Amino acid sequence: MSRDPRRVWIAGGSAGLGLACGLELARDGGRFALCGRHSEPLAAAARALKAAGASQVVDVVADLSTQDGVASFAGIAGRELGGCDVLLYVAGGGGPGPLIGTAEPAFEADWAYAFGLNVMGPARLARAAAGALVEAR
């Protein structure tokens, strides 16, 4: 991949691997959209990317385990950056409780959240960004 400035969307960009990737890519400039569930770490990550060289950083608070959360992030990122050249989905977690011994309401909620975030979230975001990614080719 060329290291030219790009329009980069990072789902799960407020910490860990997402932030590390963002910081590395920001060294060459570029415009970024970051998504996370908590505003304070997300704002700190946005400041860090700007300090590392990003020309623009848009931070979006959204829950990527839901259709609405993915639609919100994709809509704002696409509108603010005018497209997408690089899509990173490094959000994850929400480890479900054990199969045996977890009370029924918690069992259903834990597993639904984990599936939504770790399986449906990346699929939904890839679908939402597909048009912008094809245009960028």
Side-chain angles (χ1 to χ4, degrees), residues 92-136:
L99 288 171
I100 308 299
T102 302
E104 191 60 35
F107 172 81
E108 290 294 328
D110 287 355
W111 280 81
Y113 177 76
F115 188 81
L117 181 62
N118 297 306
V119 177
M120 293 305 296
R124 289 174 178 142
L125 188 57
R127 284 173 53 97
L133 287 164
V134 169
E135 273 185 32

Side-chain angles (χ1 to χ4, degrees), residues 35-37 60-71 89 113 116-117:
C35 182
R37 290 181 297 140
V60 180
V61 176
D63 181 353
L64 296 175
S65 72
T66 69
Q67 289 178 318
D68 289 344
V70 171
Y89 192 100
Y113 177 76
L117 181 62

Side-chain angles (χ1 to χ4, degrees), residues 27-104:
R27 292 183 347 169
D28 293 321
R31 299 164 57 211
F32 293 79
L34 304 178
C35 182
R37 290 181 297 140
H38 305 289
S39 61
E40 290 180 23
L42 197 55
R47 288 190 299 273
L49 264 65
K50 289 282 281 185
S55 61
Q56 178 184 5
V57 182
V58 176
D59 56 87
V60 180
V61 176
D63 181 353
L64 296 175
S65 72
T66 69
Q67 289 178 318
D68 289 344
V70 171
S72 175
F73 176 53
I76 293 168
R79 185 173 56 253
E80 294 294 321
L81 301 186
C84 180
D85 299 298
V86 177
L87 175 64
L88 300 173
Y89 192 100
V90 291
L99 288 171
I100 308 299
T102 302
E104 191 60 35

